[in-house]
Amino acid sequence: LVPGWKDAIFPAYHAIIGLQCGVAIMLVTMFILRWKGGLKGYIEVDHFWNLSKLLLALCLLWFYFWWSSFITFWYGKMPSEVSVIQLLFLEPYREVFIASLFLNFLGPLLALMWSPVRKSVWGPSLVGLGVVIGAFLNMIRLYVSAFSIENVNGHLLETIPGGQWPEAPDILIAIGGIAAPVLLFFLVSKVIPV
């Protein structure tokens, strides 16, 4: 929906984000089940250690696919590509992009490259929570910016629209999207033992 945004790597980038978030949410879920679910005897440090190595690899792949996409716009420097860079990276969503870059790549890289953090329960879980938040911010940056364009039929953006930020109903929908599966899990666990 953004004029000039032609990116062949976009589907692969989303596939990596999906895998990265799946591993990250698994780490967070394992932490909660171990902490509050009474599964300390079943979920051990080795499980967190092994998943953290996979999460580190997926964070490196996240950066690789992001860079492969970004470099095309950066070195192309066509007016339509410059406006895409301004919209997604430099102007209204700059802070969201920086937070996403830190939470999806730099933070996990710096934290998980150290074995004491990677071989713990709290380290990979905290990094996983950050990855999920970073991916959520990244999706806000990509999709909200795309849906804020008024004329999607043009060849380039004449004006860069301002950032649109979530309001109370949007935040409540996001919280409900997280709370609904948790509620479903707890309701099912009353009938079927974990």
Side-chain angles (χ1 to χ4, degrees):
L1 295 174
V2 178
W5 188 7
K6 297 174 182 73
D7 189 1
I9 300 172
F10 200 64
Y13 179 64
H14 276 282
I16 290 299
I17 290 174
L19 291 171
Q20 183 187 29
C21 285
V23 171
I25 200 70
M26 190 65 187
L27 284 165
V28 173
T29 304
M30 284 180 1
F31 178 80
I32 293 170
L33 287 175
R34 180 181 159 93
W35 177 45
K36 288 290 186 183
L39 297 177
K40 262 188 184 174
Y42 300 100
I43 302 173
E44 298 175 354
V45 177
D46 288 343
H47 299 104
F48 290 93
W49 183 30
N50 292 328
L51 269 181
S52 69
K53 290 186 272 187
L54 181 59
L55 183 62
L56 178 60
L58 289 170
C59 290
L60 292 170
L61 277 172
W62 180 92
F63 180 76
Y64 171 76
F65 280 105
W66 170 80
W67 180 253
S68 297
S69 173
F70 177 76
I71 198 169
T72 306
F73 296 114
W74 184 260
Y75 284 110
K77 296 282 192 209
M78 292 174 55
S80 60
E81 295 170 337
V82 170
S83 64
V84 169
I85 289 175
Q86 288 175 339
L87 175 66
L88 296 176
F89 303 107
L90 298 178
E91 289 182 14
Y93 296 100
R94 177 182 47 230
E95 291 81 13
V96 177
F97 167 68
I98 291 170
S100 175
L101 181 68
F102 180 77
L103 292 171
N104 286 101
F105 172 64
L106 290 175
L109 176 68
L110 295 175
L112 294 178
M113 65 190 228
W114 289 313
S115 289
V117 175
R118 194 173 58 239
K119 289 183 182 179
S120 66
V121 171
W122 61 271
S125 303
L126 192 60
V127 169
L129 182 63
V131 165
V132 171
I133 292 169
F136 182 69
L137 292 174
N138 196 29
M139 292 303 113
I140 288 174
R141 178 181 69 91
L142 294 176
Y143 289 106
V144 173
S145 65
F147 282 103
S148 67
I149 306 298
E150 291 181 19
N151 182 15
V152 297
N153 296 323
H155 293 289
L156 63 101
L157 291 171
E158 281 86 23
T159 60
I160 305 297
Q164 293 183 356
W165 306 110
E167 296 175 356
D170 302 323
I171 294 170
L172 291 174
I173 288 170
I175 292 170
I178 295 168
V182 173
L183 175 66
L184 182 65
F185 173 79
F186 283 126
L187 289 175
V188 169
S189 67
K190 296 290 182 189
V191 178
I192 302 169
V194 177

